[in-house]
Amino acid sequence: MTTPLTVDELRTAIDEIRRTSAELGAQATDLAARADQDLGRDVAEIVKDLRAAARQLRVAQLLLEPARADLAA
C-alpha cells in the first residue's frame, strides 16, 4: 500500500524533472557540437539526433513551468 502523494512531494518531483531536463539538454547540445566539430560527417545522424533530443528536453522543461508556478502559489 502506498501513502498519499503530498504537494511538497509533487513540487520536488517537478523541480527535479525540470532540473534534470535542463542538465541533459545542455549535455546533449554540447555533445552534438563537439561531435560535429571533432567527428564531422561520420556522425552526422547522431549529431542530428542529439540536437533533436536537446530540443525535446527544453520543451519538456518549458511544459513543466505552469505546473511549477501553480504549485508555488
Side-chain angles (χ1 to χ4, degrees), residues 1-13:
M1 193 163 131
T2 62
T3 59
L5 181 67
T6 67
V7 172
D8 287 337
E9 289 173 321
L10 183 58
R11 183 181 298 122
T12 300

Side-chain angles (χ1 to χ4, degrees), residues 7-54:
V7 172
D8 287 337
E9 289 173 321
L10 183 58
R11 183 181 298 122
T12 300
I14 288 173
D15 285 343
E16 179 69 23
I17 293 168
R18 284 183 60 256
R19 188 169 36 82
T20 302
S21 294
E23 290 172 5
L24 289 173
Q27 288 175 2
T29 298
D30 182 54
L31 189 57
R34 289 177 59 207
D36 192 28
Q37 179 180 350
D38 297 343
L39 303 173
R41 266 191 322 220
D42 296 337
V43 294
E45 283 300 312
I46 293 170
V47 168
K48 188 169 108 180
D49 292 345
L50 283 168
R51 288 189 173 136

Side-chain angles (χ1 to χ4, degrees), residues 18 56 58-68:
R18 284 183 60 256
Q56 289 173 349
R58 283 191 295 275
V59 168
Q61 184 182 5
L62 291 173
L63 288 173
L64 288 171
E65 282 300 321
R68 184 173 185 253

